[in-house]
Amino acid sequence: MNILMLSWRGPGHPNSGGAEINTLENVTAWTNAGHSVTWFTSTFPGAIPFEVVNKVKIVRRGSQNFKVNLAAFTWYLSGSHEKFDIVVDQFHGLPFFTPLYVKVPKLAFIHEVAREVWWLNPWPKPFNLIPAIVGSFLEPWIFRILYKKIPFMTVSNSTKEDLIKYGIPEKNISVFLSGVNLSIPSPLPTKNKVPTIVFLGALSKDKGIEDALLTFSFISKLRPSWKFWVIGKGETNYQLYLDTLCQKLQVDKKVKFLGPVYSLKKFKLLSRSHILINPSIREGWGLVNIEANAVGTPVVGYYVPGTKDSVRHQVTGLLCPPHHPELLARNAIRLIEDKKLYKRLVSNSLRWSKQFSWDKFTKQSLTLIENLAGKK
């Protein structure tokens, strides 16, 4: 088959995350199965317009902020490409609107619906109200009007439930649990002598970094010797804002921003940490939770879509209602200081993390697209 993947971000994009890891694993497996895959995605400063990664043809046009959607439309209709047997339309807030112009079979690939995340966009005030209001209004209608008859592939039951609320028939939704790429150090580093809490993810409002810092401030008042690490990167202006916030919360001397960290070094830091804190307001799945569990680090987070799927409350972590950093702080203290509870959750976390396989996910997605394209 000739398969076309449409997505906002692709390999090498500075803002790529779990969704892009997931996508690369799938398209690589499809090419390894003998299919041809073209991945159309956004460009970025220094990006190569065309390259081949893992036998996947990467085409980059337009920036990630809606321009890539228009670029995909014009590129597809221009016909300057091979004929495709199936088109995978990946959502990132908004989809590529393929039901309007693609005649071959289509598969919608979505990690999470946006919902309240529209209101946490990084646009400056008052312009941030534009995507917040327009996105919140349009999102449900895009599903109900354009995608009601399109099959969906997603990564959690939480997203499946949201899709059903938006009018997508349950029979059209396939849920495949993500795998995880691990670089487990051997031997596994021991935990720090001083209790250490880590945040891992993009430094953005929707990922909950501000609530993480508030949580650190609550804990710091009660346990002044504890350490706090932040792994990840954000926009320069937002990073400056976070530095100012740390000063206001009087934790600027205690919070260590480690920047983006990858592969073995990331897992060493997770191994040495006692708890991963995840105050994200919404996830598709929550890959960082499984990464932490894989090195024996339980998670304290919010009971929200995605996180409630990847974290089992009282089994691999502790969850509480969103927007309550003080509850996150209490759960973190309780978990670390209750030795029996902590030992049980560490053991459970290690077992839980072992069941997530890219091989299983990609075999399921391969069968799905072959069936949809009538090639099996």
Side-chain angles (χ1 to χ4, degrees), residues 105-133:
K106 293 167 286 293
L107 171 65
F109 183 21
I110 185 170
H111 284 74
E112 60 185 328
V113 303
R115 286 186 177 268
E116 64 276 356
V117 175
W118 288 112
W119 293 90
L120 301 175
N121 70 81
W123 290 24
K125 296 179 180 180
F127 301 105
N128 62 325
L129 293 176
I130 297 174
I133 295 172

Side-chain angles (χ1 to χ4, degrees), residues 16-29:
S16 63
E20 288 69 44
I21 293 172
N22 190 312
T23 304
L24 182 59
E25 290 289 341
N26 276 281
V27 296
T28 299

Side-chain angles (χ1 to χ4, degrees), residues 174-185:
S174 298
V175 179
F176 304 142
L177 298 183
S178 293
V180 57
N181 295 323
L182 301 175
S183 297
I184 306 296

Side-chain angles (χ1 to χ4, degrees), residues 95-113:
F96 282 80
F97 302 96
T98 54
L100 296 175
Y101 60 92
V102 173
K103 304 303 181 184
V104 300
K106 293 167 286 293
L107 171 65
F109 183 21
I110 185 170
H111 284 74
E112 60 185 328
V113 303

Side-chain angles (χ1 to χ4, degrees), residues 211-230:
D211 271 21
L213 296 178
L214 285 168
T215 301
F216 294 161
S217 71
F218 283 121
I219 295 174
S220 181
K221 293 173 184 176
L222 299 172
R223 304 292 186 273
S225 65
W226 287 22
K227 294 182 177 181
F228 310 106
W229 291 346
V230 174

Side-chain angles (χ1 to χ4, degrees), residues 154-228:
T154 189
V155 296
S156 70
N157 285 317
S158 286
T159 302
K160 178 181 178 179
E161 292 166 5
D162 283 333
L163 290 173
I164 293 172
K165 291 176 184 176
Y166 276 169
I168 304 301
E170 183 175 4
K171 64 182 178 64
N172 288 0
I173 307 169
S174 298
V175 179
F176 304 142
L177 298 183
S178 293
V180 57
N181 295 323
L182 301 175
S183 297
I184 306 296
S186 181
L188 206 63
T190 57
K191 300 296 182 186
N192 288 343
K193 291 183 179 180
V194 176
T196 303
I197 300 175
V198 64
F199 171 93
L200 171 61
L203 305 190
S204 60
K205 288 186 178 181
D206 61 303
K207 294 299 182 182
I209 180 59
E210 293 181 34
D211 271 21
L213 296 178
L214 285 168
T215 301
F216 294 161
S217 71
F218 283 121
I219 295 174
S220 181
K221 293 173 184 176
L222 299 172
R223 304 292 186 273
S225 65
W226 287 22
K227 294 182 177 181
F228 310 106

